[in-house]
């Protein structure tokens, strides 16, 4: 397990090699080196995991060096190996390797090909540091690292104003939320005098309830920004301006999963503050529902998936808030499989459609892209929660926790599951079924394939090369079989639950429901998932225009982003303009100029006294002596 340092070292070395030799390596070698670096990170993650299975303790810490040592406060740079961090690095490095390999072909002929893979390697390195960090400060280093890399990658095609703006928006929103994380750390330093997780967990039961509540609530504020919860979710939809592999990496393996990870890591502290847990549950379920409704009216193939990620993250926070920590991680892992699958499948569509992303301009792609169609269908079934796909088992565990917490939360979660299946079904129908709307003309009286009747010299949809299809097919298998990680039929089949137990807080008793309850709830989950998909099929399979069902409120994501823009961004701009035009020149500059004028006036007055004339100087000295004598006499008389 002492080889754990190699897990972040390989992608970091890959990034360094691309910094110094990327231009010389060029395409595709730069991409393969980056892919190999992350692949080796995955290999050593497996090696460390196998070694950990035979380890005598539930935690192993690899001390690297003393980072901060001032007075009684000390921070070590160390890597924490426990069930939670191992689970994270296994799926982060595994999914990231597939995305890297896919990107070699997807980014073919891009002028900044080596730079793209440099950023990808740095992104994965930062995420690994985040999850392996032995203390909150090292976690924060990785936390900020993924934030910076997301900015680089979202605005990668910065010559497009929309991409540059989206990158800045992601950076600013997350920096605002990160103030919460920082304040949480400051409280921990003040009351615990250490940032090491083991010390925090040991001290938490001895802290006052208000201090514990403040620590976890402020940490959750940071998580709200990173994991795009209401009202801070607007940046994630705009982040679709980056290349599609970036979207897959952000949504499936890095960045947005960091917030959920942080709260599960702090679960021994969070479990001591049920009031904050309730707040997390409420925000999570509201986010899940509102984002799902927003997804029902989007026309961009990637924005539908973006809002679906926000909704799924809301489910994960419901799991965190209800104490179903293992369920939240289970959903995170399976979500990585099917969300990476959906994004890479949509990337294949965009690639084949020559960068077209509007669903209303697609249709009938199942004919010319059958493998991609099957893969996307698999992702749809998985995210909808149709048995036996992975999402059925993981989302079912979260809803089981919601059922034990509150009937209302469970009902909203169940309804959201139906909406999820509906909007994914709508997306599938618009892209792969119906008529081929990418064709300028049709041939009447003859039954021909979509490709045969295409008269466009510019759009000729086709399956991508095997380099892009291997990751897609692999992820499709994982999206189908991922539920095997944690089956509910017997305690011995709950592999992930049993593995995670030593690293997370104990789950509430209501999560251990009877078999009958689980069967009933699971059946309802399946009914809503299948029902939502069928409704989508009957509505959207033969038409692409249903304006009555595409509400403006949902298309604009409940206007939360625009409200923030008007209330905060634009008002701040107006304030800056007033400051620049009035306060700056008249108040601040006026005060500075006024001081200089006062000093100048005093100088002129004093200069008159120091004229250089002997008689005047003697008179001033004599007058001063007279005044001093009088003052001395008065004081002596008193």
């Amino acid at each position: 397990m002492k080889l754990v340092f190699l897990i972040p070292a390989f992608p970091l070395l890959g990034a360094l090699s691309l910094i110094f030799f990327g231009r010389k390596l060029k395409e595709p070698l730069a991409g393969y080196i980056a892919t190999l670096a992350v692949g080796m990170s995955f290999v050593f993650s497996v090696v460390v995991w196998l070694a950990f299975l035979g380890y005598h303790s539930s935690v192993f810490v690899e001390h690297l060096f003393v980072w901060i040592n001032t007075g009684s406060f000390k921070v070590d740079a160390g890597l924490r190996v426990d069930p939670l961090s191992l689970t994270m690095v296994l799926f982060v490095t595994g999914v990231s390797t597939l995305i890297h390999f896919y990107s070699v072909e997807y980014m073919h002929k891009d002028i900044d090909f080596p730079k793209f893979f440099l950023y990808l390697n740095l992104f994965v390195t930062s995420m690994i540091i985040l999850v392996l960090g032995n203390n909150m400060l090292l976690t924060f280093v990785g936390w900020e690292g993924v934030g910076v890399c997301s900015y680089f990658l979202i605005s990668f095609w910065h010559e497009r104003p929309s991409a540059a703006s989206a990158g800045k928006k992601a950076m600013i929103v997350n920096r605002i939320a990160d103030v919460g994380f920082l304040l949480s750390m400051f409280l921990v330093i003040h009351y615990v005098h250490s940032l090491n997780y083991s010390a925090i967990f040991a001290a938490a039961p001895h802290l006052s309830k208000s201090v514990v509540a403040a620590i976890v609530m402020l940490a959750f504020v940071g998580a709200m920004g990173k994991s795009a919860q209401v009202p801070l979710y607007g940046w994630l939809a705009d982040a679709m301006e980056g290349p599609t592999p970036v979207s897959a990496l952000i949504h499936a393996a890095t960045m947005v999963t960091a917030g959920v990870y942080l709260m599960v890591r702090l679960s021994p502290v969070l479990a001591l503050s049920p009031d904050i847990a309730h707040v997390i549950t409420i925000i999570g379920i509201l986010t899940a529902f509102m984002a799902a409704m927003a997804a029902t009216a989007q026309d961009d193939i990637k924005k539908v998936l973006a809002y679906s990620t926000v909704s799924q993250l809301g489910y994960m926070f419901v799991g965190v808030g209800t104490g179903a920590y293992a369920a939240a991680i289970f959903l995170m892992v399976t979500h990585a499989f099917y969300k990476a699958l959906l994004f890479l499948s949509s990337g294949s569509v965009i690639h084949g459609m020559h960068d077209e992303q509007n669903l209303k301009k697609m249709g009938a792609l199942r004919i010319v892209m059958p493998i991609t169609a099957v893969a996307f269908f698999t992702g749809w079934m998985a995210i909808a929660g149709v048995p036996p796909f992975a999402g059925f088992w993981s989302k079912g565990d979260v809803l089981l926790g919601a059922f034990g917490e509150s009937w209302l939360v469970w009902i909203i979660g169940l309804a959201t599951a139906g909406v999820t299946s509906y909007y994914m079904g709508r997306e599938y129908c618009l892209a792969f079924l119906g008529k081929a709307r990418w064709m300028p003309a049709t041939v009447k009286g003859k039954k021909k394939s979509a490709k045969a009747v295409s008269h466009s010299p510019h759009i000729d949809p086709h399956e991508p090369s095997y380099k892009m299809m291997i990751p897609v097919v692999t992820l499709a298998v994982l999206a189908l079989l991922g539920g095997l990680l944690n089956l509910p039929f017997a305690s011995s089949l709950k592999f992930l639950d049993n593995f995670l137990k030593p690293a997370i807080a104990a789950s509430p008793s209501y999560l251990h429901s009877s078999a009958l309850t689980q069967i009933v709830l699971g059946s309802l989950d399946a009914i809503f998932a299948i029902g939502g998909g069928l409704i989508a099929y009957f509505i959207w399979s033969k038409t692409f225009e249903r304006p009555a069902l595409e509400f403006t409120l949902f298309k604009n994501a409940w206007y939360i982003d625009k409200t923030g823009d008007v209330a905060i961004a634009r008002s701040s701009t107006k304030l800056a303009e007033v400051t620049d035009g009035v306060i700056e020149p008249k108040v601040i500059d006026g005060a500075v100029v006024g001081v200089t004028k006062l000093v100048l006036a005093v100088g002129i007055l004093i200069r008159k006294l120091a004229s250089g004339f002997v008689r005047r100087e003697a008179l001033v000295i004599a007058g001063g002596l007279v005044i001093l004598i009088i003052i001395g006499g008065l004081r002596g008389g008193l």
Side-chain angles (χ1 to χ4, degrees):
M1 286 191 293
K2 289 185 175 294
L3 297 177
V4 64
F5 75 94
L6 291 175
I7 299 177
F10 274 109
L12 180 58
L13 289 173
L16 291 174
S17 66
L18 292 176
I19 288 176
F20 294 109
F21 307 111
R23 290 295 182 188
K24 293 181 180 179
L25 294 172
K26 297 182 180 180
E27 180 187 348
L29 186 55
Y32 287 134
I33 288 176
T35 304
L36 178 63
V38 181
M40 290 302 295
S41 182
F42 172 68
V43 169
F44 277 92
S45 297
V46 174
V47 169
V48 173
W49 170 63
L50 292 174
F52 183 80
L53 292 178
Y55 191 56
H56 59 83
S57 176
S58 60
V59 179
F60 170 81
V61 176
E62 175 66 6
H63 173 77
L64 300 178
F65 55 88
V66 176
W67 186 5
I68 299 173
N69 190 1
T70 172
S72 61
F73 182 66
K74 181 180 178 181
V75 177
D76 293 337
L79 302 179
R80 182 185 180 92
V81 179
D82 67 3
L84 179 57
S85 62
L86 279 174
T87 301
M88 294 294 297
V89 294
L90 282 168
F91 87 78
V92 166
T93 56
V95 173
S96 296
T97 301
L98 294 173
I99 294 171
H100 273 68
F101 186 70
Y102 177 96
S103 302
V104 174
E105 181 68 18
Y106 190 89
M107 298 301 291
H108 177 52
K109 292 185 179 180
D110 192 283
I111 189 172
D112 288 320
F113 185 91
K115 184 194 294 185
F116 179 79
F117 283 93
L118 161 64
Y119 291 158
L120 286 191
N121 269 193
L122 285 176
F123 209 167
V124 176
T125 302
S126 298
M127 189 65 188
I128 293 171
I129 292 172
L130 189 157
V131 300
L132 284 179
N134 186 43
N135 55 71
M136 290 184 74
L137 188 57
L138 195 55
T139 293
F140 188 71
V141 170
W143 186 276
E144 293 303 294
V146 295
V148 171
C149 291
S150 69
Y151 166 74
F152 292 153
L153 288 166
I154 292 169
S155 56
F156 185 75
W157 289 324
H158 53 82
E159 65 277 4
R160 300 190 323 209
S162 57
S165 177
K168 288 185 289 185
K169 184 176 182 179
M171 175 65 79
I172 292 170
V173 171
N174 277 275
R175 295 300 73 74
I176 293 171
D178 288 351
V179 174
F181 195 160
L182 283 169
L183 292 175
S184 178
M185 280 199 296
F186 295 158
L187 284 176
V188 170
I189 293 171
H190 181 73
Y191 287 100
V192 181
H193 309 296
S194 175
L195 289 172
N196 285 353
Y197 288 117
S198 296
I200 296 170
F201 301 155
H206 307 291
L207 300 176
S208 67
K209 291 184 178 179
S210 59
V211 171
V212 170
I215 289 172
V216 293
M217 187 64 218
L218 288 169
F220 179 59
V221 170
M224 287 173 64
K226 195 68 72 180
S227 294
Q229 296 298 282
V230 169
L232 303 177
Y233 63 41
W235 71 268
L236 194 54
D238 289 352
M240 297 303 97
E241 290 291 337
T244 300
V246 173
S247 303
L249 199 60
I250 290 175
H251 288 247
T254 61
M255 190 67 174
V256 297
T257 61
V260 180
Y261 162 78
L262 176 66
M263 299 315 296
V264 175
R265 172 58 77 196
L266 294 176
S267 60
V269 185
L270 177 60
L272 301 174
S273 184
D275 291 339
I276 302 303
H278 292 325
V279 172
I280 294 173
T281 301
I282 292 169
I283 292 177
I285 198 64
L286 285 176
T287 302
F289 177 75
M290 294 174 68
M293 296 305 296
T296 62
Q298 304 302 315
D299 292 337
D300 188 306
I301 189 172
K302 287 171 62 178
K303 280 199 172 183
V304 176
L305 299 180
Y307 283 112
S308 80
T309 297
V310 176
S311 181
Q312 295 292 299
L313 289 166
Y315 272 116
M316 294 176 208
F317 278 113
V318 169
V320 171
T322 58
Y325 307 115
I329 296 298
F330 184 27
L331 180 56
M332 184 193 296
V333 173
T334 57
H335 176 262
F337 298 155
Y338 54 70
K339 185 50 60 69
L341 168 64
L342 288 166
F343 266 113
L344 297 190
S345 297
S346 69
S348 298
V349 170
I350 295 168
H351 188 269
M353 291 287 294
H354 297 270
D355 298 326
E356 179 59 67
Q357 295 183 201
N358 191 336
L359 289 164
K360 301 298 180 66
K361 296 181 180 180
M362 297 181 185
L365 292 178
R366 73 190 187 283
I367 300 172
V368 291
M369 304 180 70
I371 299 176
T372 301
V374 172
F376 203 96
F377 181 84
T378 302
W380 168 22
M381 294 294 101
I383 195 173
V386 174
F389 294 87
F392 171 74
W393 310 104
S394 56
K395 192 182 295 183
D397 280 0
V398 170
L399 289 176
L400 181 62
F403 181 78
E405 172 82 3
S406 164
W407 273 82
L408 180 59
V409 173
W410 174 74
I411 289 172
I412 297 174
L414 187 64
T416 302
V419 175
T420 301
S421 186
Y422 166 78
Y423 69 69
M424 287 304 304
R426 170 181 175 271
E427 182 172 35
Y428 183 83
C429 291
L430 289 177
F432 296 99
L433 303 183
K435 295 181 179 180
R437 296 177 295 279
W438 41 270
M439 298 184 302
T442 58
V443 177
K444 295 182 179 180
K446 295 183 179 180
K447 186 177 181 181
K448 294 191 175 183
S449 69
K451 189 173 183 179
V453 297
S454 175
H455 300 296
S456 172
H458 304 294
I459 298 181
D460 181 23
H462 56 278
E463 292 283 22
S465 71
Y466 74 93
K467 295 177 184 178
M468 291 172 64
M469 293 313 299
I470 288 175
V472 169
V473 173
T474 303
L475 289 165
V477 173
L478 292 172
L480 173 62
L481 303 178
L484 295 175
L485 288 171
N486 212 50
L487 294 174
F489 305 119
S491 178
S492 59
L493 295 177
K494 296 182 178 180
F495 302 110
L496 190 59
D497 269 15
N498 296 330
F499 183 63
L500 288 172
K501 273 183 183 179
I504 59 177
S507 299
S509 58
Y510 58 70
L511 292 177
H512 306 288
S513 303
S514 66
L516 179 60
T517 301
Q518 294 186 47
I519 290 172
V520 171
L521 295 181
S523 300
L524 289 172
D525 295 345
I527 290 171
F528 270 72
I530 295 171
L534 289 175
I535 291 172
Y537 177 79
F538 287 123
I539 292 175
W540 295 102
S541 62
K542 295 182 180 179
T543 184
F544 67 99
E545 290 290 352
R546 298 280 189 184
L549 297 177
E550 298 172 333
F551 298 99
T552 304
L553 176 66
F554 301 151
K555 190 178 288 289
N556 288 280
W558 302 82
Y559 289 101
I560 289 178
D561 214 30
K562 291 189 175 181
T563 301
D565 181 57
V566 172
I568 299 175
R570 295 184 184 276
S571 60
S572 298
T573 303
K574 284 289 184 184
L575 178 61
E577 291 173 352
V578 171
T579 301
D580 180 61
V582 179
I583 298 177
E584 181 80 22
K586 295 183 179 179
V587 178
I588 298 175
D589 288 353
V592 173
V593 173
V595 170
T596 59
K597 288 182 177 179
L598 177 62
V599 171
L600 180 62
V602 172
I604 292 172
L605 179 62
I606 294 175
R607 187 177 65 185
K608 291 180 179 179
L609 297 177
S611 62
F613 292 106
V614 175
R615 287 178 297 176
R616 184 177 295 180
E617 299 294 339
L619 180 62
V620 170
I621 293 172
L625 287 172
V626 171
I627 293 172
L628 289 174
I629 292 169
I630 293 172
I631 293 173
L634 291 174
R635 292 183 66 184
L638 294 174

